[in-house]
């Protein structure tokens, strides 16, 4: 019935049906149906109610007061999310609100950012109050209101589901909250400690507004709950999430090594469980990223290398190829070994004299080169076609005037390097230098690079519209030289830019 009303655009009729179901659910104390109906009502009210978000929140707040146990916890979690969504949708409005004292704040539109965060925190924390009950409550009863993923074993109880929902909020970066001078920071190395140490450590703070401190406490409760589990899936999943969260926000100087060691500990401790592969992958990825950072900044640190990261990834793919970590490892290996190639050449080079091209390369031991004439027809095609695929298809099919190959320095560290190579002397003209890792200049899974350049002994310098034509080698003026001016104009008929001749000038 509801679906029929919705198809016909009869929202009010659909809403009436939903309210009827709600009344029946209340009479029979069918909590999953009550919650599902409330959620359904929200989606309908958005289309017809003014201030629908505020009214929906009020209806859930009212329902919380009539429920207890698991149903109440779920309603508190959903209501917290609704407040959070409301803030996200109206963030720009709240930036203009200042904190006030002794002010009647029944209307959430008058709240400040701090008021909203305080309310959201209270509701999420309240949703976890009855730990013992929630830990013994299966999710099956509440299937009608759960969006099912493909890994129910990672959220085996209602406590797990609600705790992770709360963590999604408490892990955010708190930018909008007013912080005291003693604001909480994750600066304690024990935040990276193995589960047995972490769950017993005290992360105390006077900063009652800190979301991150609350996140650490929830992680402690989750990990303590699953520490003795026979099946370690939920524990491993939560522990990886904890370590990643700490790494994102920790402010300690040794954070990189602590993060890598924490992931290594998870991978080693639970190496017989395929889920541990994700921790090992993240460890290899962290080593890889650190190695790139060191390389790009010309630093030295023997503890981090792409080669080391690849060894870990290769072993992971061999051991757990179909796991999440194994699949991620395969993708990163492809990125590590993928060959790359680019060329940099002076825009204009002197005729009759060899010149240099800078080759930037990665995972490539030899390049093959072709020299092409940049004809007016080819220039026109390249100007009209901006896609790499079509450009390289055309360049590869062009007749070349010279072809050769060039060995590159053999470096097996999987990092990018550069070297200069010699280009033999050329006569005056416009050229394309085309490079490929593959002798056949394949367009598939093969890096190609193209560089356009001129060979000319003419140069110029200018000051605004005063141009001085010079000999490129000596710098002497080229008196009496003829200069053809060209204009690039848009042709509305052909919808293309056209080069059009203008006046011819003579240098004095």
């Amino acid at each position: 019935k509801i679906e029929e009303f919705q198809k016909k655009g009869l929202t009010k009729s659909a809403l009436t049906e939903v309210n009827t179901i709600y009344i029946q659910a209340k009479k029979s104390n069918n909590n999953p149906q009550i919650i599902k109906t409330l959620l359904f009502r929200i989606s309908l009210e958005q289309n017809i109610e003014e201030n629908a978000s505020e009214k929906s929140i009020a209806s859930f707040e009212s329902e919380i007061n009539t429920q207890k146990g698991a149903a109440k916890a779920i309603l508190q979690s959903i209501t917290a999310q609704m407040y959070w969504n409301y803030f996200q949708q109206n963030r720009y409005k709240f930036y203009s609100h200042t904190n006030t004292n002794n002010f009647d704040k029944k209307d959430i539109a008058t709240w400040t950012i701090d008021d909203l965060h305080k309310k959201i925190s209270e509701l999420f924390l309240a949703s976890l109050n009855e730990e013992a009950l929630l830990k013994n409550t299966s999710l099956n009863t509440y299937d009608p209101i759960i969006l099912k993923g493909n890994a129910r074993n990672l959220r085996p109880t209602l406590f797990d589901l609600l705790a992770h929902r709360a963590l999604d909020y408490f892990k955010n970066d708190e930018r909008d909250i007013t912080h005291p001078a003693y604001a909480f920071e994750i600066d304690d190395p024990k935040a990276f400690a193995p589960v047995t140490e972490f769950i017993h450590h005290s992360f105390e703070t006077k900063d009652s507004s800190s979301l991150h401190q609350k996140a650490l406490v929830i992680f402690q409760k989750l990990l303590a709950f699953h520490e003795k589990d026979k099946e370690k899936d939920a524990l491993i999943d939560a522990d990886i999430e904890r370590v990643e969260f700490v790494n994102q926000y920790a402010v300690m100087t040794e954070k990189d090594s602590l993060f890598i060691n924490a992931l290594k500990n998870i991978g080693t401790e639970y190496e017989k469980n395929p889920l541990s592969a994700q921790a090992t992958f993240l460890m290899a990825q962290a080593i890889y990223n650190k190695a790139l950072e060191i390389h790009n900044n010309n630093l030295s640190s023997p503890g981090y290398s792409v080669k080391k990261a690849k060894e870990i990834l290769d072993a992971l793919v061999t051991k757990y190829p179909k796991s999440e970590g194994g699949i991620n490892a395969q993708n990163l290996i492809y990125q590590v070994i993928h060959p790359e190639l680019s060329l940099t050449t002076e825009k204009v080079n002197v005729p009759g004299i060899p010149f240099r091209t800078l080759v930037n390369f990665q995972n490539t031991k030899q390049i093959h080169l072709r020299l092409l004439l940049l004809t007016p027809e080819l220039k026109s095609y390249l100007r009209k076609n901006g896609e790499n695929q079509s450009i390289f298809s055309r360049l590869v099919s062009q007749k070349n005037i010279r072809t050769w190959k060039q060995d590159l320095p053999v470096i097996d560290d999987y990092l990018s390097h550069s070297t200069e190579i010699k280009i033999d002397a050329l006569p005056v003209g416009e050229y394309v230098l085309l490079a490929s890792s593959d002798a056949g200049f394949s367009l598939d899974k093969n890096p190609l690079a193209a560089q356009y350049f001129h060979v000319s002994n003419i140069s110029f310098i200018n000051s605004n519209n005063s141009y001085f034509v010079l000999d490129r080698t000596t710098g002497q003026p080229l008196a009496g030289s003829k200069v053809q001016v060209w204009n690039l104009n848009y042709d509305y008929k052909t919808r293309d830019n056209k080069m059009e001749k203008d006046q011819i000038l003579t240098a004095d």
Side-chain angles (χ1 to χ4, degrees), residues 6 15 24 27 71 118 156 178 180 210 248 267 278 281 304 310 316-317 363 403 410 415 423 437 446:
Q6 285 181 301
L15 193 55
Q24 293 170 345
K27 287 180 179 178
K118 184 173 182 291
T178 303
S210 172
Q248 184 176 0
Q278 179 63 8
F281 160 72
Y304 301 98
K310 185 177 179 296
L316 191 56
V317 169
N363 301 320
T403 181
V410 178
L415 293 167
I423 307 297
S437 288
N446 170 54

Side-chain angles (χ1 to χ4, degrees), residues 389-445:
Q389 187 69 18
S390 58
I391 288 174
F392 281 107
S393 294
R394 180 64 178 263
L395 291 176
V396 166
S397 66
Q398 289 289 117
K399 182 180 179 182
N400 65 76
I401 58 173
R402 187 184 298 174
T403 181
W404 73 102
K405 63 183 178 181
Q406 175 74 52
D407 290 331
L408 298 173
V410 178
I411 307 172
D412 63 350
D413 60 4
Y414 305 102
L415 293 167
S416 61
H417 297 276
S418 60
T419 188
E420 288 182 327
I421 64 172
K422 174 188 172 186
I423 307 297
D424 290 335
L426 292 168
V428 170
E430 292 183 69
Y431 300 90
V432 180
L433 181 63
L434 186 62
S436 167
S437 288
D438 173 59
F441 286 75
S442 168
L443 296 171
D444 183 38
K445 297 180 181 179

Side-chain angles (χ1 to χ4, degrees), residues 244 259-260 263 278-292 304-306 308-310 312-313 316 328-329 331-332 335-336:
E244 285 192 286
F259 178 54
I260 289 171
L263 292 169
Q278 179 63 8
T280 305
F281 160 72
L282 291 171
M283 177 183 71
Q285 185 182 53
I287 294 171
Y288 170 74
N289 290 338
K290 192 66 180 176
L292 289 186
Y304 301 98
S305 71
V306 177
K308 179 181 178 181
K310 185 177 179 296
I312 297 170
L313 295 169
L316 191 56
N328 288 335
N331 292 332
L332 185 53
Q335 186 177 329
V336 168

Side-chain angles (χ1 to χ4, degrees), residues 450-465:
Q451 182 71 71
Y452 311 113
F453 64 92
H454 299 252
V455 174
S456 171
N457 205 29
I458 299 172
S459 67
F460 69 83
I461 57 175
N462 71 294
S463 175
N464 297 322
N465 280 338

Side-chain angles (χ1 to χ4, degrees), residues 220-233:
Q220 286 180 313
K221 291 179 179 180
L222 261 177
L223 294 171
F225 174 40
H226 291 294
E227 184 189 11
K228 304 298 183 183
D229 286 358
K230 184 178 179 181
E231 299 296 331
K232 300 295 184 182
D233 292 14

Side-chain angles (χ1 to χ4, degrees), residues 155-191:
R155 307 286 185 270
T157 70
L158 189 54
F159 177 76
D160 290 279
L161 185 62
L162 297 184
H164 281 282
R165 280 176 57 83
L167 283 171
D168 288 341
Y169 167 71
F170 288 120
K171 288 192 303 179
N172 85 74
D173 59 9
E174 314 179 74
R175 281 189 308 237
D176 308 308
I177 301 177
T178 303
H179 293 289
Y182 45 80
F184 177 79
E185 288 186 324
I186 303 177
D187 55 6
D188 187 340
K190 289 295 183 182

Side-chain angles (χ1 to χ4, degrees), residues 468-482:
F468 302 84
V469 185
L470 309 171
D471 181 291
R472 179 168 295 279
T473 304
T474 66
Q476 293 297 313
L478 295 178
S481 57
K482 302 293 182 183

